[in-house]
Short mmCIF file of all heavy atoms in Angstrom, two decimals:
data_model
loop_
_atom_site.label_atom_id
_atom_site.label_comp_id
_atom_site.label_asym_id
_atom_site.label_seq_id
_atom_site.Cartn_x
_atom_site.Cartn_y
_atom_site.Cartn_z
N PRO A 1278 7.97 22.03 -6.10
CA PRO A 1278 8.09 23.46 -6.23
C PRO A 1278 9.14 23.87 -7.28
O PRO A 1278 8.91 24.80 -8.05
CB PRO A 1278 8.52 23.90 -4.84
CG PRO A 1278 9.31 22.74 -4.31
CD PRO A 1278 8.67 21.51 -4.93
N GLU A 1279 10.29 23.18 -7.35
CA GLU A 1279 11.34 23.65 -8.25
C GLU A 1279 11.63 22.70 -9.41
O GLU A 1279 11.91 23.13 -10.51
CB GLU A 1279 12.64 23.89 -7.47
CG GLU A 1279 12.51 24.99 -6.44
CD GLU A 1279 13.75 25.11 -5.58
OE1 GLU A 1279 14.80 24.58 -5.98
OE2 GLU A 1279 13.67 25.74 -4.52
N VAL A 1280 11.59 21.42 -9.12
CA VAL A 1280 11.95 20.44 -10.14
C VAL A 1280 10.87 19.36 -10.20
O VAL A 1280 10.31 18.97 -9.18
CB VAL A 1280 13.35 19.83 -9.84
CG1 VAL A 1280 13.33 19.01 -8.57
CG2 VAL A 1280 13.87 19.03 -11.01
N ALA A 1281 10.58 18.92 -11.40
CA ALA A 1281 9.54 17.90 -11.59
C ALA A 1281 9.98 16.56 -11.00
O ALA A 1281 11.15 16.17 -11.13
CB ALA A 1281 9.21 17.74 -13.07
N THR A 1282 9.02 15.89 -10.37
CA THR A 1282 9.26 14.52 -9.91
C THR A 1282 8.22 13.61 -10.55
O THR A 1282 7.13 14.04 -10.91
CB THR A 1282 9.20 14.41 -8.37
OG1 THR A 1282 7.92 14.85 -7.92
CG2 THR A 1282 10.31 15.20 -7.72
N TYR A 1283 8.58 12.36 -10.66
CA TYR A 1283 7.75 11.36 -11.33
C TYR A 1283 7.46 10.22 -10.36
O TYR A 1283 8.34 9.76 -9.64
CB TYR A 1283 8.47 10.81 -12.56
CG TYR A 1283 8.76 11.88 -13.58
CD1 TYR A 1283 9.90 12.68 -13.47
CD2 TYR A 1283 7.89 12.11 -14.65
CE1 TYR A 1283 10.16 13.68 -14.42
CE2 TYR A 1283 8.15 13.10 -15.57
CZ TYR A 1283 9.28 13.87 -15.45
OH TYR A 1283 9.53 14.86 -16.37
N ALA A 1284 6.20 9.77 -10.38
CA ALA A 1284 5.77 8.65 -9.56
C ALA A 1284 4.84 7.77 -10.39
O ALA A 1284 4.14 8.27 -11.27
CB ALA A 1284 5.03 9.16 -8.32
N PRO A 1285 4.84 6.48 -10.13
CA PRO A 1285 3.93 5.60 -10.88
C PRO A 1285 2.49 5.87 -10.50
O PRO A 1285 2.19 6.21 -9.36
CB PRO A 1285 4.36 4.20 -10.44
CG PRO A 1285 5.06 4.38 -9.14
CD PRO A 1285 5.64 5.76 -9.14
N ASP A 1286 1.59 5.73 -11.48
CA ASP A 1286 0.16 5.94 -11.22
C ASP A 1286 -0.53 4.65 -10.82
O ASP A 1286 -1.72 4.66 -10.50
CB ASP A 1286 -0.52 6.55 -12.45
CG ASP A 1286 -1.92 7.05 -12.13
OD1 ASP A 1286 -2.11 7.62 -11.05
OD2 ASP A 1286 -2.83 6.84 -12.95
N PHE A 1287 0.18 3.54 -10.83
CA PHE A 1287 -0.35 2.26 -10.39
C PHE A 1287 0.79 1.44 -9.83
O PHE A 1287 1.95 1.68 -10.14
CB PHE A 1287 -1.07 1.51 -11.52
CG PHE A 1287 -0.31 1.45 -12.82
CD1 PHE A 1287 0.63 0.46 -13.05
CD2 PHE A 1287 -0.54 2.39 -13.81
CE1 PHE A 1287 1.34 0.42 -14.25
CE2 PHE A 1287 0.15 2.35 -15.01
CZ PHE A 1287 1.10 1.35 -15.22
N THR A 1288 0.45 0.50 -8.96
CA THR A 1288 1.48 -0.31 -8.31
C THR A 1288 1.93 -1.45 -9.23
O THR A 1288 1.25 -1.82 -10.20
CB THR A 1288 0.95 -0.93 -7.00
OG1 THR A 1288 -0.07 -1.89 -7.33
CG2 THR A 1288 0.42 0.13 -6.05
N LYS A 1289 3.06 -2.02 -8.86
CA LYS A 1289 3.56 -3.19 -9.59
C LYS A 1289 2.55 -4.34 -9.47
O LYS A 1289 2.31 -5.07 -10.43
CB LYS A 1289 4.92 -3.60 -9.03
CG LYS A 1289 5.61 -4.66 -9.82
CD LYS A 1289 7.02 -4.89 -9.28
CE LYS A 1289 7.79 -5.83 -10.16
NZ LYS A 1289 9.19 -5.99 -9.70
N GLY A 1290 1.94 -4.48 -8.31
CA GLY A 1290 0.94 -5.52 -8.11
C GLY A 1290 -0.28 -5.33 -9.00
O GLY A 1290 -0.81 -6.30 -9.54
N GLU A 1291 -0.72 -4.09 -9.13
CA GLU A 1291 -1.86 -3.81 -10.02
C GLU A 1291 -1.51 -4.14 -11.46
O GLU A 1291 -2.32 -4.73 -12.19
CB GLU A 1291 -2.28 -2.34 -9.90
CG GLU A 1291 -2.94 -2.01 -8.60
CD GLU A 1291 -3.12 -0.52 -8.36
OE1 GLU A 1291 -2.33 0.29 -8.91
OE2 GLU A 1291 -4.04 -0.16 -7.61
N TYR A 1292 -0.31 -3.78 -11.88
CA TYR A 1292 0.10 -4.08 -13.25
C TYR A 1292 0.24 -5.60 -13.45
O TYR A 1292 -0.17 -6.14 -14.47
CB TYR A 1292 1.41 -3.37 -13.60
CG TYR A 1292 1.75 -3.47 -15.06
CD1 TYR A 1292 0.94 -2.87 -16.01
CD2 TYR A 1292 2.88 -4.16 -15.50
CE1 TYR A 1292 1.23 -2.96 -17.37
CE2 TYR A 1292 3.19 -4.25 -16.85
CZ TYR A 1292 2.36 -3.65 -17.78
OH TYR A 1292 2.65 -3.75 -19.12
N GLY A 1293 0.80 -6.26 -12.45
CA GLY A 1293 0.92 -7.72 -12.52
C GLY A 1293 -0.43 -8.39 -12.65
O GLY A 1293 -0.62 -9.34 -13.43
N TRP A 1294 -1.42 -7.90 -11.89
CA TRP A 1294 -2.77 -8.45 -11.99
C TRP A 1294 -3.34 -8.24 -13.38
O TRP A 1294 -3.94 -9.13 -13.96
CB TRP A 1294 -3.69 -7.84 -10.93
CG TRP A 1294 -5.13 -8.14 -11.23
CD1 TRP A 1294 -6.10 -7.26 -11.58
CD2 TRP A 1294 -5.75 -9.43 -11.25
NE1 TRP A 1294 -7.29 -7.92 -11.80
CE2 TRP A 1294 -7.11 -9.26 -11.61
CE3 TRP A 1294 -5.29 -10.72 -10.99
CZ2 TRP A 1294 -7.99 -10.32 -11.72
CZ3 TRP A 1294 -6.19 -11.78 -11.11
CH2 TRP A 1294 -7.52 -11.57 -11.47
N ASP A 1295 -3.13 -7.04 -13.94
CA ASP A 1295 -3.62 -6.76 -15.29
C ASP A 1295 -3.06 -7.78 -16.28
O ASP A 1295 -3.79 -8.34 -17.10
CB ASP A 1295 -3.21 -5.36 -15.75
CG ASP A 1295 -3.92 -4.25 -15.00
OD1 ASP A 1295 -4.96 -4.52 -14.36
OD2 ASP A 1295 -3.44 -3.11 -15.06
N LEU A 1296 -1.75 -8.01 -16.21
CA LEU A 1296 -1.12 -8.96 -17.13
C LEU A 1296 -1.62 -10.38 -16.91
O LEU A 1296 -1.90 -11.11 -17.87
CB LEU A 1296 0.40 -8.91 -16.97
CG LEU A 1296 1.09 -7.61 -17.37
CD1 LEU A 1296 2.58 -7.69 -17.07
CD2 LEU A 1296 0.86 -7.30 -18.84
N ALA A 1297 -1.74 -10.77 -15.64
CA ALA A 1297 -2.20 -12.12 -15.33
C ALA A 1297 -3.63 -12.34 -15.82
O ALA A 1297 -3.94 -13.39 -16.39
CB ALA A 1297 -2.11 -12.37 -13.82
N GLU A 1298 -4.47 -11.35 -15.60
CA GLU A 1298 -5.87 -11.49 -16.03
C GLU A 1298 -5.97 -11.62 -17.55
O GLU A 1298 -6.71 -12.47 -18.07
CB GLU A 1298 -6.70 -10.31 -15.54
CG GLU A 1298 -8.17 -10.50 -15.82
CD GLU A 1298 -9.03 -9.38 -15.27
OE1 GLU A 1298 -8.53 -8.27 -15.06
OE2 GLU A 1298 -10.23 -9.65 -15.08
N VAL A 1299 -5.19 -10.83 -18.26
CA VAL A 1299 -5.20 -10.91 -19.73
C VAL A 1299 -4.68 -12.27 -20.18
O VAL A 1299 -5.24 -12.90 -21.08
CB VAL A 1299 -4.38 -9.75 -20.35
CG1 VAL A 1299 -4.13 -9.98 -21.83
CG2 VAL A 1299 -5.11 -8.43 -20.14
N LEU A 1300 -3.61 -12.74 -19.55
CA LEU A 1300 -3.04 -14.04 -19.91
C LEU A 1300 -4.07 -15.16 -19.72
O LEU A 1300 -4.29 -15.97 -20.62
CB LEU A 1300 -1.79 -14.31 -19.06
CG LEU A 1300 -1.13 -15.67 -19.25
CD1 LEU A 1300 -0.50 -15.77 -20.63
CD2 LEU A 1300 -0.09 -15.90 -18.16
N VAL A 1301 -4.71 -15.17 -18.57
CA VAL A 1301 -5.70 -16.23 -18.30
C VAL A 1301 -6.87 -16.12 -19.26
O VAL A 1301 -7.32 -17.14 -19.80
CB VAL A 1301 -6.17 -16.16 -16.83
CG1 VAL A 1301 -7.37 -17.07 -16.60
CG2 VAL A 1301 -5.03 -16.55 -15.89
N GLN A 1302 -7.35 -14.93 -19.51
CA GLN A 1302 -8.50 -14.77 -20.42
C GLN A 1302 -8.14 -15.14 -21.86
O GLN A 1302 -8.91 -15.85 -22.52
CB GLN A 1302 -9.02 -13.33 -20.36
CG GLN A 1302 -9.68 -12.95 -19.05
CD GLN A 1302 -10.87 -13.83 -18.70
OE1 GLN A 1302 -11.63 -14.25 -19.55
NE2 GLN A 1302 -11.00 -14.13 -17.42
N ARG A 1303 -7.02 -14.65 -22.34
CA ARG A 1303 -6.68 -14.85 -23.76
C ARG A 1303 -6.18 -16.24 -24.09
O ARG A 1303 -6.55 -16.81 -25.10
CB ARG A 1303 -5.62 -13.83 -24.19
CG ARG A 1303 -6.17 -12.43 -24.31
CD ARG A 1303 -5.15 -11.52 -24.91
NE ARG A 1303 -5.66 -10.15 -24.96
CZ ARG A 1303 -4.93 -9.10 -25.26
NH1 ARG A 1303 -3.65 -9.24 -25.53
NH2 ARG A 1303 -5.46 -7.91 -25.28
N LEU A 1304 -5.30 -16.77 -23.24
CA LEU A 1304 -4.68 -18.05 -23.58
C LEU A 1304 -5.37 -19.26 -22.96
O LEU A 1304 -5.25 -20.37 -23.46
CB LEU A 1304 -3.20 -18.05 -23.18
CG LEU A 1304 -2.32 -17.09 -23.95
CD1 LEU A 1304 -0.88 -17.17 -23.45
CD2 LEU A 1304 -2.36 -17.39 -25.44
N TYR A 1305 -6.06 -19.05 -21.86
CA TYR A 1305 -6.66 -20.17 -21.14
C TYR A 1305 -8.18 -20.05 -21.02
O TYR A 1305 -8.78 -20.72 -20.19
CB TYR A 1305 -6.01 -20.31 -19.76
CG TYR A 1305 -4.54 -20.65 -19.86
CD1 TYR A 1305 -3.58 -19.65 -19.77
CD2 TYR A 1305 -4.11 -21.95 -20.10
CE1 TYR A 1305 -2.22 -19.95 -19.89
CE2 TYR A 1305 -2.77 -22.26 -20.22
CZ TYR A 1305 -1.83 -21.25 -20.11
OH TYR A 1305 -0.50 -21.55 -20.24
N ASP A 1306 -8.77 -19.20 -21.84
CA ASP A 1306 -10.23 -19.04 -21.86
C ASP A 1306 -10.81 -18.83 -20.46
O ASP A 1306 -11.87 -19.36 -20.13
CB ASP A 1306 -10.90 -20.24 -22.54
CG ASP A 1306 -10.55 -20.33 -24.00
OD1 ASP A 1306 -10.45 -19.27 -24.65
OD2 ASP A 1306 -10.37 -21.46 -24.49
N GLY A 1307 -10.09 -18.08 -19.63
CA GLY A 1307 -10.57 -17.77 -18.30
C GLY A 1307 -10.33 -18.85 -17.26
O GLY A 1307 -10.74 -18.72 -16.11
N ASP A 1308 -9.66 -19.93 -17.65
CA ASP A 1308 -9.43 -21.06 -16.74
C ASP A 1308 -8.07 -20.93 -16.07
O ASP A 1308 -7.05 -21.37 -16.60
CB ASP A 1308 -9.53 -22.37 -17.52
CG ASP A 1308 -9.38 -23.61 -16.65
OD1 ASP A 1308 -9.23 -23.46 -15.42
OD2 ASP A 1308 -9.41 -24.73 -17.21
N ALA A 1309 -8.04 -20.33 -14.88
CA ALA A 1309 -6.78 -20.12 -14.16
C ALA A 1309 -6.12 -21.45 -13.78
O ALA A 1309 -4.90 -21.54 -13.70
CB ALA A 1309 -7.02 -19.27 -12.93
N LYS A 1310 -6.93 -22.49 -13.54
CA LYS A 1310 -6.36 -23.80 -13.21
C LYS A 1310 -5.49 -24.31 -14.35
O LYS A 1310 -4.46 -24.95 -14.10
CB LYS A 1310 -7.48 -24.80 -12.89
CG LYS A 1310 -8.24 -24.50 -11.62
CD LYS A 1310 -9.28 -25.55 -11.31
CE LYS A 1310 -10.33 -25.75 -12.34
NZ LYS A 1310 -11.23 -24.64 -12.65
N ALA A 1311 -5.87 -24.03 -15.58
CA ALA A 1311 -5.07 -24.46 -16.73
C ALA A 1311 -3.71 -23.77 -16.72
O ALA A 1311 -2.69 -24.39 -17.06
CB ALA A 1311 -5.82 -24.19 -18.03
N LEU A 1312 -3.68 -22.51 -16.33
CA LEU A 1312 -2.40 -21.80 -16.22
C LEU A 1312 -1.54 -22.44 -15.14
O LEU A 1312 -0.36 -22.70 -15.36
CB LEU A 1312 -2.62 -20.32 -15.92
CG LEU A 1312 -1.37 -19.53 -15.55
CD1 LEU A 1312 -0.35 -19.53 -16.68
CD2 LEU A 1312 -1.74 -18.11 -15.16
N VAL A 1313 -2.13 -22.71 -13.99
CA VAL A 1313 -1.38 -23.33 -12.89
C VAL A 1313 -0.87 -24.70 -13.31
O VAL A 1313 0.28 -25.06 -13.03
CB VAL A 1313 -2.26 -23.42 -11.62
CG1 VAL A 1313 -1.56 -24.21 -10.53
CG2 VAL A 1313 -2.60 -22.01 -11.13
N ALA A 1314 -1.68 -25.47 -14.02
CA ALA A 1314 -1.25 -26.79 -14.50
C ALA A 1314 -0.06 -26.64 -15.45
O ALA A 1314 0.90 -27.42 -15.39
CB ALA A 1314 -2.40 -27.52 -15.19
N THR A 1315 -0.10 -25.65 -16.30
CA THR A 1315 1.01 -25.41 -17.23
C THR A 1315 2.27 -25.06 -16.45
O THR A 1315 3.37 -25.56 -16.76
CB THR A 1315 0.66 -24.27 -18.21
OG1 THR A 1315 -0.48 -24.68 -18.97
CG2 THR A 1315 1.81 -23.95 -19.14
N LEU A 1316 2.14 -24.22 -15.44
CA LEU A 1316 3.29 -23.87 -14.61
C LEU A 1316 3.88 -25.10 -13.93
O LEU A 1316 5.10 -25.26 -13.85
CB LEU A 1316 2.90 -22.81 -13.58
CG LEU A 1316 2.49 -21.45 -14.13
CD1 LEU A 1316 1.95 -20.56 -13.02
CD2 LEU A 1316 3.65 -20.77 -14.84
N GLY A 1317 3.02 -25.98 -13.46
CA GLY A 1317 3.48 -27.21 -12.84
C GLY A 1317 4.18 -28.13 -13.81
O GLY A 1317 5.25 -28.68 -13.52
N ARG A 1318 3.59 -28.30 -14.99
CA ARG A 1318 4.19 -29.18 -16.01
C ARG A 1318 5.57 -28.71 -16.43
O ARG A 1318 6.42 -29.51 -16.82
CB ARG A 1318 3.30 -29.26 -17.24
CG ARG A 1318 2.17 -30.27 -17.13
CD ARG A 1318 1.52 -30.56 -18.47
NE ARG A 1318 0.99 -29.37 -19.13
CZ ARG A 1318 -0.19 -28.81 -18.88
NH1 ARG A 1318 -0.97 -29.32 -17.94
NH2 ARG A 1318 -0.59 -27.74 -19.53
N HIS A 1319 5.81 -27.44 -16.34
CA HIS A 1319 7.10 -26.88 -16.79
C HIS A 1319 8.04 -26.58 -15.63
O HIS A 1319 9.04 -25.87 -15.80
CB HIS A 1319 6.86 -25.64 -17.65
CG HIS A 1319 6.22 -25.98 -18.95
ND1 HIS A 1319 6.92 -26.45 -20.04
CD2 HIS A 1319 4.91 -25.97 -19.33
CE1 HIS A 1319 6.09 -26.69 -21.03
NE2 HIS A 1319 4.86 -26.41 -20.63
N GLY A 1320 7.74 -27.12 -14.47
CA GLY A 1320 8.64 -27.04 -13.34
C GLY A 1320 8.68 -25.71 -12.60
O GLY A 1320 9.59 -25.48 -11.80
N MET A 1321 7.72 -24.85 -12.86
CA MET A 1321 7.71 -23.56 -12.17
C MET A 1321 6.97 -23.64 -10.84
O MET A 1321 7.09 -22.74 -10.01
CB MET A 1321 7.12 -22.48 -13.07
CG MET A 1321 8.00 -22.21 -14.29
SD MET A 1321 7.43 -20.82 -15.25
CE MET A 1321 8.07 -19.47 -14.27
N LEU A 1322 6.18 -24.68 -10.64
CA LEU A 1322 5.49 -24.93 -9.37
C LEU A 1322 5.68 -26.40 -9.03
O LEU A 1322 5.58 -27.27 -9.90
CB LEU A 1322 3.99 -24.65 -9.49
CG LEU A 1322 3.54 -23.20 -9.59
CD1 LEU A 1322 2.04 -23.14 -9.87
CD2 LEU A 1322 3.86 -22.44 -8.31
N ASN A 1323 5.93 -26.68 -7.76
CA ASN A 1323 6.00 -28.06 -7.31
C ASN A 1323 4.92 -28.31 -6.26
O ASN A 1323 4.14 -27.41 -5.94
CB ASN A 1323 7.41 -28.40 -6.78
CG ASN A 1323 7.81 -27.51 -5.62
OD1 ASN A 1323 6.98 -27.13 -4.80
ND2 ASN A 1323 9.08 -27.16 -5.55
#
């Protein structure tokens, strides 16, 4: 009513999914397993 407020139009999870999907499609030709393997090789997953 008196002062403008701001809210996100999408969730952090939705944005994270967007980024993840682009990463898998662009760098790994749609192969999510290749991304997971890369994460494992670099110590981000055990």
